[in-house]
Amino acid sequence: MPELPEVEVVRRGLARWVIGATFEGVEVLHPRPVRRHEAGIDDFVSRLEGVTVVDAVRRGKFLWLNLDSGEALLAHLGMSGQMLLEEPDAPDEKHLRVRLGLAGAQGRELRFVDQRMFGGLAVVEMVPTPDGGPGGLGGTPADVVPTEEPRDDGVIEGTYEAGEALIPAPVAHIARDALDPALDVDLLAARFKRRETGLKRALLDQTLISGIGNIYADEALWRAKLHYARPTEKLNRPTLNRVLAHAQDVMREALAQGGTSFDSLYVDVNGQSGYFERGLDAYGREGEACHRCGSRMRRETFMNRSSFFCPKCQPKPREGRF
DNA sequence: ACTTCAACCTGATAGC
DNA sequence: TGCTATCAGGTTGAAG
């Protein structure tokens, strides 16, 4: 299940292979992964044909290729999405959804493969962002600014000139991610204080801080010895700093290992599986001994998903927000 | 305006 | 064997 480190591995792979390459022969094999491209499949294809990739950028779990047309090919891997660079004559994957032929990518074609199809692709416009650009680890800000006034809906048409960063319109509401050097922790603390919700809910809310999913949230909470239902408004600043630092640590470790994988659903851009699962202390360890105190780890259903925690190290708060 | 949650989707696995 | 139920979970959009 791709979270920030896995998506960053994919971004790096794409940057290595497709920057400077031109789309040539784009084929949509299943309509669902292109559902976010509202103008339809034919428009999706025509906005890519003959267009050249300028950069590969990521914010949280969103990934996009800046195009020389001024638009971006936006991708989200959802639960099971993969971006594979294959020889064109390699047999089609069972769940191949979109084939993107390329000129200038060392003879490879880009394939979007997605079993469960929670993810998808869309060609979207770039808009200015109030927080100063895409940021994110390894991301290069798009170095342009609009020359026309925004429409009523805030979207800016027309040409752009150098000066200010842009972000794909559907990503404008996503907060800077946990590994973004420009993440504003003071702002995050203020928003946590104002919220009436539980800590894990907040960590998973991509409009507060992005990139953290169910697995790394559980790992960060275990390392910080905090229960998932701790109310965010009562969390003091050192405690917030602690859980944030642990989230960053665990994701940096996963990134160093090339991403996490539990089954074969996630592979990086060249088809290599990650292997961080060996380093997990909380996720998936129901009934096993806590690596710190030996207590039996527990699993609780929460937010339509599982939360794994140590009942002794991460005691339930008196007034939790579940 | 803020917070919560069902729906989307397929395949693996468990239980009968 | 075959059937049904359950689980996996990121994001959106609707409901509360």
Side-chain angles (χ1 to χ4, degrees), chain A residues 198-231:
Chain A
L199 178 53
K200 185 172 174 182
R201 277 186 196 280
L203 292 175
L204 294 176
D205 186 337
Q206 307 294 302
T207 68
L208 293 173
I209 180 169
S210 68
I212 302 172
N214 198 42
I215 296 166
Y216 295 119
D218 278 3
E219 293 302 310
L221 290 168
W222 182 87
R223 290 187 182 201
K225 301 185 186 180
L226 295 170
H227 192 274
Y228 65 82
R230 288 279 295 260

PDB file of all heavy atoms in Angstrom, chain A residues 198-231:
ATOM      1  N   GLY A 198      -9.093  12.821  16.983  1.00  0.00           N
ATOM      2  CA  GLY A 198      -8.061  11.963  17.549  1.00  0.00           C
ATOM      3  C   GLY A 198      -6.758  12.066  16.761  1.00  0.00           C
ATOM      4  O   GLY A 198      -6.747  12.451  15.597  1.00  0.00           O
ATOM      5  N   LEU A 199      -5.668  11.687  17.436  1.00  0.00           N
ATOM      6  CA  LEU A 199      -4.332  11.868  16.855  1.00  0.00           C
ATOM      7  C   LEU A 199      -4.152  11.127  15.536  1.00  0.00           C
ATOM      8  O   LEU A 199      -3.631  11.676  14.567  1.00  0.00           O
ATOM      9  CB  LEU A 199      -3.277  11.421  17.882  1.00  0.00           C
ATOM     10  CG  LEU A 199      -1.822  11.491  17.448  1.00  0.00           C
ATOM     11  CD1 LEU A 199      -1.447  12.869  16.925  1.00  0.00           C
ATOM     12  CD2 LEU A 199      -0.917  11.093  18.617  1.00  0.00           C
ATOM     13  N   LYS A 200      -4.603   9.869  15.487  1.00  0.00           N
ATOM     14  CA  LYS A 200      -4.377   9.126  14.242  1.00  0.00           C
ATOM     15  C   LYS A 200      -5.220   9.675  13.095  1.00  0.00           C
ATOM     16  O   LYS A 200      -4.760   9.755  11.958  1.00  0.00           O
ATOM     17  CB  LYS A 200      -4.655   7.635  14.444  1.00  0.00           C
ATOM     18  CG  LYS A 200      -4.308   6.806  13.212  1.00  0.00           C
ATOM     19  CD  LYS A 200      -4.390   5.328  13.459  1.00  0.00           C
ATOM     20  CE  LYS A 200      -4.179   4.564  12.152  1.00  0.00           C
ATOM     21  NZ  LYS A 200      -4.298   3.106  12.345  1.00  0.00           N
ATOM     22  N   ARG A 201      -6.444  10.060  13.396  1.00  0.00           N
ATOM     23  CA  ARG A 201      -7.274  10.715  12.376  1.00  0.00           C
ATOM     24  C   ARG A 201      -6.548  11.921  11.794  1.00  0.00           C
ATOM     25  O   ARG A 201      -6.552  12.149  10.586  1.00  0.00           O
ATOM     26  CB  ARG A 201      -8.580  11.195  12.990  1.00  0.00           C
ATOM     27  CG  ARG A 201      -9.653  10.152  13.102  1.00  0.00           C
ATOM     28  CD  ARG A 201     -10.944  10.819  13.596  1.00  0.00           C
ATOM     29  NE  ARG A 201     -11.886   9.830  14.086  1.00  0.00           N
ATOM     30  CZ  ARG A 201     -12.664   9.103  13.299  1.00  0.00           C
ATOM     31  NH1 ARG A 201     -12.609   9.257  11.995  1.00  0.00           N
ATOM     32  NH2 ARG A 201     -13.475   8.211  13.818  1.00  0.00           N
ATOM     33  N   ALA A 202      -5.948  12.699  12.670  1.00  0.00           N
ATOM     34  CA  ALA A 202      -5.250  13.902  12.225  1.00  0.00           C
ATOM     35  C   ALA A 202      -4.020  13.554  11.376  1.00  0.00           C
ATOM     36  O   ALA A 202      -3.757  14.192  10.359  1.00  0.00           O
ATOM     37  CB  ALA A 202      -4.857  14.761  13.427  1.00  0.00           C
ATOM     38  N   LEU A 203      -3.276  12.533  11.813  1.00  0.00           N
ATOM     39  CA  LEU A 203      -2.080  12.141  11.054  1.00  0.00           C
ATOM     40  C   LEU A 203      -2.445  11.636   9.665  1.00  0.00           C
ATOM     41  O   LEU A 203      -1.665  11.758   8.719  1.00  0.00           O
ATOM     42  CB  LEU A 203      -1.304  11.053  11.802  1.00  0.00           C
ATOM     43  CG  LEU A 203      -0.627  11.473  13.107  1.00  0.00           C
ATOM     44  CD1 LEU A 203      -0.013  10.255  13.793  1.00  0.00           C
ATOM     45  CD2 LEU A 203       0.445  12.532  12.856  1.00  0.00           C
ATOM     46  N   LEU A 204      -3.652  11.050   9.532  1.00  0.00           N
ATOM     47  CA  LEU A 204      -4.084  10.511   8.246  1.00  0.00           C
ATOM     48  C   LEU A 204      -4.780  11.558   7.380  1.00  0.00           C
ATOM     49  O   LEU A 204      -5.075  11.303   6.211  1.00  0.00           O
ATOM     50  CB  LEU A 204      -5.024   9.323   8.468  1.00  0.00           C
ATOM     51  CG  LEU A 204      -4.402   8.080   9.106  1.00  0.00           C
ATOM     52  CD1 LEU A 204      -5.475   7.025   9.361  1.00  0.00           C
ATOM     53  CD2 LEU A 204      -3.301   7.507   8.241  1.00  0.00           C
ATOM     54  N   ASP A 205      -5.066  12.720   7.960  1.00  0.00           N
ATOM     55  CA  ASP A 205      -5.766  13.774   7.222  1.00  0.00           C
ATOM     56  C   ASP A 205      -4.774  14.506   6.326  1.00  0.00           C
ATOM     57  O   ASP A 205      -3.949  15.298   6.801  1.00  0.00           O
ATOM     58  CB  ASP A 205      -6.430  14.742   8.208  1.00  0.00           C
ATOM     59  CG  ASP A 205      -7.302  15.781   7.496  1.00  0.00           C
ATOM     60  OD1 ASP A 205      -7.060  16.045   6.296  1.00  0.00           O
ATOM     61  OD2 ASP A 205      -8.199  16.332   8.150  1.00  0.00           O
ATOM     62  N   GLN A 206      -4.880  14.249   5.032  1.00  0.00           N
ATOM     63  CA  GLN A 206      -3.884  14.759   4.079  1.00  0.00           C
ATOM     64  C   GLN A 206      -3.959  16.268   3.894  1.00  0.00           C
ATOM     65  O   GLN A 206      -3.076  16.847   3.261  1.00  0.00           O
ATOM     66  CB  GLN A 206      -4.036  14.052   2.726  1.00  0.00           C
ATOM     67  CG  GLN A 206      -4.017  12.534   2.819  1.00  0.00           C
ATOM     68  CD  GLN A 206      -2.688  11.971   3.261  1.00  0.00           C
ATOM     69  OE1 GLN A 206      -1.667  12.221   2.614  1.00  0.00           O
ATOM     70  NE2 GLN A 206      -2.661  11.221   4.357  1.00  0.00           N
ATOM     71  N   THR A 207      -4.999  16.901   4.435  1.00  0.00           N
ATOM     72  CA  THR A 207      -5.066  18.359   4.352  1.00  0.00           C
ATOM     73  C   THR A 207      -4.342  19.020   5.530  1.00  0.00           C
ATOM     74  O   THR A 207      -4.155  20.235   5.538  1.00  0.00           O
ATOM     75  CB  THR A 207      -6.523  18.874   4.306  1.00  0.00           C
ATOM     76  OG1 THR A 207      -7.155  18.615   5.568  1.00  0.00           O
ATOM     77  CG2 THR A 207      -7.309  18.186   3.206  1.00  0.00           C
ATOM     78  N   LEU A 208      -3.942  18.215   6.534  1.00  0.00           N
ATOM     79  CA  LEU A 208      -3.149  18.744   7.651  1.00  0.00           C
ATOM     80  C   LEU A 208      -1.667  18.482   7.427  1.00  0.00           C
ATOM     81  O   LEU A 208      -0.820  19.362   7.569  1.00  0.00           O
ATOM     82  CB  LEU A 208      -3.593  18.094   8.967  1.00  0.00           C
ATOM     83  CG  LEU A 208      -4.994  18.435   9.457  1.00  0.00           C
ATOM     84  CD1 LEU A 208      -5.352  17.592  10.671  1.00  0.00           C
ATOM     85  CD2 LEU A 208      -5.081  19.920   9.799  1.00  0.00           C
ATOM     86  N   ILE A 209      -1.361  17.223   7.159  1.00  0.00           N
ATOM     87  CA  ILE A 209       0.004  16.804   6.823  1.00  0.00           C
ATOM     88  C   ILE A 209      -0.150  15.607   5.906  1.00  0.00           C
ATOM     89  O   ILE A 209      -0.973  14.736   6.157  1.00  0.00           O
ATOM     90  CB  ILE A 209       0.822  16.461   8.085  1.00  0.00           C
ATOM     91  CG1 ILE A 209       2.241  16.034   7.715  1.00  0.00           C
ATOM     92  CG2 ILE A 209       0.149  15.384   8.924  1.00  0.00           C
ATOM     93  CD1 ILE A 209       3.174  15.932   8.925  1.00  0.00           C
ATOM     94  N   SER A 210       0.613  15.557   4.827  1.00  0.00           N
ATOM     95  CA  SER A 210       0.360  14.512   3.841  1.00  0.00           C
ATOM     96  C   SER A 210       1.470  13.474   3.807  1.00  0.00           C
ATOM     97  O   SER A 210       2.554  13.668   4.352  1.00  0.00           O
ATOM     98  CB  SER A 210       0.159  15.133   2.457  1.00  0.00           C
ATOM     99  OG  SER A 210       1.357  15.701   1.990  1.00  0.00           O
ATOM    100  N   GLY A 211       1.149  12.349   3.199  1.00  0.00           N
ATOM    101  CA  GLY A 211       2.126  11.288   2.991  1.00  0.00           C
ATOM    102  C   GLY A 211       2.008  10.118   3.946  1.00  0.00           C
ATOM    103  O   GLY A 211       2.517   9.035   3.672  1.00  0.00           O
ATOM    104  N   ILE A 212       1.352  10.350   5.097  1.00  0.00           N
ATOM    105  CA  ILE A 212       1.243   9.305   6.119  1.00  0.00           C
ATOM    106  C   ILE A 212      -0.019   8.493   5.867  1.00  0.00           C
ATOM    107  O   ILE A 212      -1.101   9.055   5.735  1.00  0.00           O
ATOM    108  CB  ILE A 212       1.193   9.913   7.535  1.00  0.00           C
ATOM    109  CG1 ILE A 212       2.448  10.760   7.790  1.00  0.00           C
ATOM    110  CG2 ILE A 212       1.061   8.812   8.585  1.00  0.00           C
ATOM    111  CD1 ILE A 212       2.386  11.554   9.100  1.00  0.00           C
ATOM    112  N   GLY A 213       0.120   7.173   5.801  1.00  0.00           N
ATOM    113  CA  GLY A 213      -1.021   6.270   5.667  1.00  0.00           C
ATOM    114  C   GLY A 213      -1.148   5.404   6.901  1.00  0.00           C
ATOM    115  O   GLY A 213      -0.498   5.647   7.933  1.00  0.00           O
ATOM    116  N   ASN A 214      -1.988   4.391   6.815  1.00  0.00           N
ATOM    117  CA  ASN A 214      -2.308   3.574   7.984  1.00  0.00           C
ATOM    118  C   ASN A 214      -1.081   2.903   8.592  1.00  0.00           C
ATOM    119  O   ASN A 214      -0.940   2.838   9.814  1.00  0.00           O
ATOM    120  CB  ASN A 214      -3.347   2.514   7.599  1.00  0.00           C
ATOM    121  CG  ASN A 214      -4.040   1.935   8.810  1.00  0.00           C
ATOM    122  OD1 ASN A 214      -4.400   2.649   9.740  1.00  0.00           O
ATOM    123  ND2 ASN A 214      -4.203   0.625   8.826  1.00  0.00           N
ATOM    124  N   ILE A 215      -0.186   2.418   7.762  1.00  0.00           N
ATOM    125  CA  ILE A 215       0.962   1.662   8.268  1.00  0.00           C
ATOM    126  C   ILE A 215       1.917   2.571   9.034  1.00  0.00           C
ATOM    127  O   ILE A 215       2.266   2.304  10.191  1.00  0.00           O
ATOM    128  CB  ILE A 215       1.694   0.981   7.092  1.00  0.00           C
ATOM    129  CG1 ILE A 215       0.769  -0.050   6.431  1.00  0.00           C
ATOM    130  CG2 ILE A 215       2.978   0.324   7.575  1.00  0.00           C
ATOM    131  CD1 ILE A 215       1.254  -0.535   5.089  1.00  0.00           C
ATOM    132  N   TYR A 216       2.332   3.654   8.384  1.00  0.00           N
ATOM    133  CA  TYR A 216       3.315   4.519   9.044  1.00  0.00           C
ATOM    134  C   TYR A 216       2.705   5.305  10.198  1.00  0.00           C
ATOM    135  O   TYR A 216       3.420   5.678  11.137  1.00  0.00           O
ATOM    136  CB  TYR A 216       3.986   5.440   8.021  1.00  0.00           C
ATOM    137  CG  TYR A 216       4.801   4.656   7.019  1.00  0.00           C
ATOM    138  CD1 TYR A 216       4.524   4.684   5.669  1.00  0.00           C
ATOM    139  CD2 TYR A 216       5.838   3.831   7.450  1.00  0.00           C
ATOM    140  CE1 TYR A 216       5.252   3.933   4.767  1.00  0.00           C
ATOM    141  CE2 TYR A 216       6.575   3.077   6.557  1.00  0.00           C
ATOM    142  CZ  TYR A 216       6.279   3.125   5.213  1.00  0.00           C
ATOM    143  OH  TYR A 216       6.993   2.373   4.326  1.00  0.00           O
ATOM    144  N   ALA A 217       1.400   5.540  10.165  1.00  0.00           N
ATOM    145  CA  ALA A 217       0.751   6.156  11.327  1.00  0.00           C
ATOM    146  C   ALA A 217       0.882   5.247  12.538  1.00  0.00           C
ATOM    147  O   ALA A 217       1.265   5.693  13.637  1.00  0.00           O
ATOM    148  CB  ALA A 217      -0.720   6.442  11.020  1.00  0.00           C
ATOM    149  N   ASP A 218       0.573   3.965  12.365  1.00  0.00           N
ATOM    150  CA  ASP A 218       0.695   3.030  13.487  1.00  0.00           C
ATOM    151  C   ASP A 218       2.136   2.928  13.976  1.00  0.00           C
ATOM    152  O   ASP A 218       2.397   2.856  15.181  1.00  0.00           O
ATOM    153  CB  ASP A 218       0.188   1.638  13.082  1.00  0.00           C
ATOM    154  CG  ASP A 218      -1.328   1.526  13.184  1.00  0.00           C
ATOM    155  OD1 ASP A 218      -1.981   2.539  13.512  1.00  0.00           O
ATOM    156  OD2 ASP A 218      -1.868   0.430  12.935  1.00  0.00           O
ATOM    157  N   GLU A 219       3.085   2.903  13.052  1.00  0.00           N
ATOM    158  CA  GLU A 219       4.487   2.812  13.443  1.00  0.00           C
ATOM    159  C   GLU A 219       4.929   4.057  14.222  1.00  0.00           C
ATOM    160  O   GLU A 219       5.623   3.952  15.237  1.00  0.00           O
ATOM    161  CB  GLU A 219       5.369   2.636  12.203  1.00  0.00           C
ATOM    162  CG  GLU A 219       5.167   1.313  11.486  1.00  0.00           C
ATOM    163  CD  GLU A 219       5.434   0.112  12.383  1.00  0.00           C
ATOM    164  OE1 GLU A 219       6.488   0.066  13.038  1.00  0.00           O
ATOM    165  OE2 GLU A 219       4.563  -0.785  12.443  1.00  0.00           O
ATOM    166  N   ALA A 220       4.535   5.223  13.738  1.00  0.00           N
ATOM    167  CA  ALA A 220       4.925   6.472  14.414  1.00  0.00           C
ATOM    168  C   ALA A 220       4.310   6.540  15.810  1.00  0.00           C
ATOM    169  O   ALA A 220       4.972   6.944  16.777  1.00  0.00           O
ATOM    170  CB  ALA A 220       4.493   7.679  13.581  1.00  0.00           C
ATOM    171  N   LEU A 221       3.047   6.132  15.940  1.00  0.00           N
ATOM    172  CA  LEU A 221       2.378   6.167  17.247  1.00  0.00           C
ATOM    173  C   LEU A 221       3.028   5.177  18.218  1.00  0.00           C
ATOM    174  O   LEU A 221       3.193   5.474  19.402  1.00  0.00           O
ATOM    175  CB  LEU A 221       0.881   5.853  17.086  1.00  0.00           C
ATOM    176  CG  LEU A 221       0.070   6.944  16.381  1.00  0.00           C
ATOM    177  CD1 LEU A 221      -1.318   6.435  16.015  1.00  0.00           C
ATOM    178  CD2 LEU A 221      -0.037   8.194  17.265  1.00  0.00           C
ATOM    179  N   TRP A 222       3.409   4.015  17.719  1.00  0.00           N
ATOM    180  CA  TRP A 222       4.076   3.022  18.580  1.00  0.00           C
ATOM    181  C   TRP A 222       5.413   3.578  19.076  1.00  0.00           C
ATOM    182  O   TRP A 222       5.727   3.530  20.253  1.00  0.00           O
ATOM    183  CB  TRP A 222       4.290   1.703  17.819  1.00  0.00           C
ATOM    184  CG  TRP A 222       4.928   0.636  18.679  1.00  0.00           C
ATOM    185  CD1 TRP A 222       4.296  -0.245  19.506  1.00  0.00           C
ATOM    186  CD2 TRP A 222       6.329   0.360  18.801  1.00  0.00           C
ATOM    187  NE1 TRP A 222       5.211  -1.048  20.134  1.00  0.00           N
ATOM    188  CE2 TRP A 222       6.472  -0.699  19.729  1.00  0.00           C
ATOM    189  CE3 TRP A 222       7.489   0.900  18.227  1.00  0.00           C
ATOM    190  CZ2 TRP A 222       7.713  -1.236  20.097  1.00  0.00           C
ATOM    191  CZ3 TRP A 222       8.723   0.387  18.586  1.00  0.00           C
ATOM    192  CH2 TRP A 222       8.822  -0.676  19.510  1.00  0.00           C
ATOM    193  N   ARG A 223       6.191   4.135  18.158  1.00  0.00           N
ATOM    194  CA  ARG A 223       7.500   4.674  18.548  1.00  0.00           C
ATOM    195  C   ARG A 223       7.355   5.818  19.538  1.00  0.00           C
ATOM    196  O   ARG A 223       8.174   5.964  20.447  1.00  0.00           O
ATOM    197  CB  ARG A 223       8.265   5.161  17.309  1.00  0.00           C
ATOM    198  CG  ARG A 223       8.735   4.033  16.386  1.00  0.00           C
ATOM    199  CD  ARG A 223       9.628   4.575  15.283  1.00  0.00           C
ATOM    200  NE  ARG A 223      10.040   3.500  14.375  1.00  0.00           N
ATOM    201  CZ  ARG A 223      11.112   3.577  13.571  1.00  0.00           C
ATOM    202  NH1 ARG A 223      11.856   4.671  13.555  1.00  0.00           N
ATOM    203  NH2 ARG A 223      11.417   2.582  12.778  1.00  0.00           N
ATOM    204  N   ALA A 224       6.309   6.613  19.356  1.00  0.00           N
ATOM    205  CA  ALA A 224       6.108   7.770  20.234  1.00  0.00           C
ATOM    206  C   ALA A 224       5.352   7.397  21.510  1.00  0.00           C
ATOM    207  O   ALA A 224       5.138   8.249  22.381  1.00  0.00           O
ATOM    208  CB  ALA A 224       5.360   8.872  19.487  1.00  0.00           C
ATOM    209  N   LYS A 225       4.948   6.138  21.616  1.00  0.00           N
ATOM    210  CA  LYS A 225       4.200   5.632  22.781  1.00  0.00           C
ATOM    211  C   LYS A 225       2.914   6.429  23.002  1.00  0.00           C
ATOM    212  O   LYS A 225       2.598   6.822  24.128  1.00  0.00           O
ATOM    213  CB  LYS A 225       5.057   5.671  24.058  1.00  0.00           C
ATOM    214  CG  LYS A 225       6.342   4.849  23.984  1.00  0.00           C
ATOM    215  CD  LYS A 225       7.036   4.869  25.353  1.00  0.00           C
ATOM    216  CE  LYS A 225       8.388   4.200  25.317  1.00  0.00           C
ATOM    217  NZ  LYS A 225       9.045   4.218  26.644  1.00  0.00           N
ATOM    218  N   LEU A 226       2.185   6.638  21.927  1.00  0.00           N
ATOM    219  CA  LEU A 226       0.945   7.407  22.023  1.00  0.00           C
ATOM    220  C   LEU A 226      -0.221   6.585  21.487  1.00  0.00           C
ATOM    221  O   LEU A 226      -0.094   5.912  20.457  1.00  0.00           O
ATOM    222  CB  LEU A 226       1.066   8.707  21.205  1.00  0.00           C
ATOM    223  CG  LEU A 226       2.100   9.713  21.708  1.00  0.00           C
ATOM    224  CD1 LEU A 226       2.295  10.824  20.677  1.00  0.00           C
ATOM    225  CD2 LEU A 226       1.680  10.295  23.051  1.00  0.00           C
ATOM    226  N   HIS A 227      -1.353   6.663  22.155  1.00  0.00           N
ATOM    227  CA  HIS A 227      -2.562   5.983  21.706  1.00  0.00           C
ATOM    228  C   HIS A 227      -3.195   6.750  20.542  1.00  0.00           C
ATOM    229  O   HIS A 227      -3.152   7.976  20.515  1.00  0.00           O
ATOM    230  CB  HIS A 227      -3.564   5.873  22.862  1.00  0.00           C
ATOM    231  CG  HIS A 227      -4.713   4.954  22.573  1.00  0.00           C
ATOM    232  ND1 HIS A 227      -5.856   5.388  21.918  1.00  0.00           N
ATOM    233  CD2 HIS A 227      -4.901   3.637  22.848  1.00  0.00           C
ATOM    234  CE1 HIS A 227      -6.694   4.355  21.811  1.00  0.00           C
ATOM    235  NE2 HIS A 227      -6.148   3.289  22.361  1.00  0.00           N
ATOM    236  N   TYR A 228      -3.792   5.998  19.625  1.00  0.00           N
ATOM    237  CA  TYR A 228      -4.332   6.643  18.419  1.00  0.00           C
ATOM    238  C   TYR A 228      -5.463   7.621  18.700  1.00  0.00           C
ATOM    239  O   TYR A 228      -5.740   8.501  17.905  1.00  0.00           O
ATOM    240  CB  TYR A 228      -4.774   5.592  17.399  1.00  0.00           C
ATOM    241  CG  TYR A 228      -5.932   4.709  17.806  1.00  0.00           C
ATOM    242  CD1 TYR A 228      -7.238   5.147  17.669  1.00  0.00           C
ATOM    243  CD2 TYR A 228      -5.714   3.419  18.305  1.00  0.00           C
ATOM    244  CE1 TYR A 228      -8.310   4.340  18.013  1.00  0.00           C
ATOM    245  CE2 TYR A 228      -6.767   2.588  18.663  1.00  0.00           C
ATOM    246  CZ  TYR A 228      -8.072   3.060  18.521  1.00  0.00           C
ATOM    247  OH  TYR A 228      -9.116   2.265  18.874  1.00  0.00           O
ATOM    248  N   ALA A 229      -6.130   7.442  19.842  1.00  0.00           N
ATOM    249  CA  ALA A 229      -7.301   8.296  20.136  1.00  0.00           C
ATOM    250  C   ALA A 229      -6.961   9.508  20.993  1.00  0.00           C
ATOM    251  O   ALA A 229      -7.871  10.228  21.428  1.00  0.00           O
ATOM    252  CB  ALA A 229      -8.388   7.458  20.809  1.00  0.00           C
ATOM    253  N   ARG A 230      -5.685   9.744  21.239  1.00  0.00           N
ATOM    254  CA  ARG A 230      -5.329  10.946  22.021  1.00  0.00           C
ATOM    255  C   ARG A 230      -5.910  12.192  21.353  1.00  0.00           C
ATOM    256  O   ARG A 230      -5.723  12.403  20.155  1.00  0.00           O
ATOM    257  CB  ARG A 230      -3.793  11.076  22.097  1.00  0.00           C
ATOM    258  CG  ARG A 230      -3.132  10.039  22.999  1.00  0.00           C
ATOM    259  CD  ARG A 230      -3.224  10.427  24.460  1.00  0.00           C
ATOM    260  NE  ARG A 230      -2.460  11.632  24.711  1.00  0.00           N
ATOM    261  CZ  ARG A 230      -1.221  11.640  25.247  1.00  0.00           C
ATOM    262  NH1 ARG A 230      -0.644  10.512  25.580  1.00  0.00           N
ATOM    263  NH2 ARG A 230      -0.601  12.775  25.459  1.00  0.00           N
ATOM    264  N   PRO A 231      -6.590  13.035  22.114  1.00  0.00           N
ATOM    265  CA  PRO A 231      -7.172  14.246  21.506  1.00  0.00           C
ATOM    266  C   PRO A 231      -6.077  15.199  21.033  1.00  0.00           C
ATOM    267  O   PRO A 231      -5.139  15.498  21.784  1.00  0.00           O
ATOM    268  CB  PRO A 231      -7.970  14.877  22.658  1.00  0.00           C
ATOM    269  CG  PRO A 231      -8.026  13.843  23.736  1.00  0.00           C
ATOM    270  CD  PRO A 231      -6.854  12.945  23.552  1.00  0.00           C
TER     271      PRO A 231
END
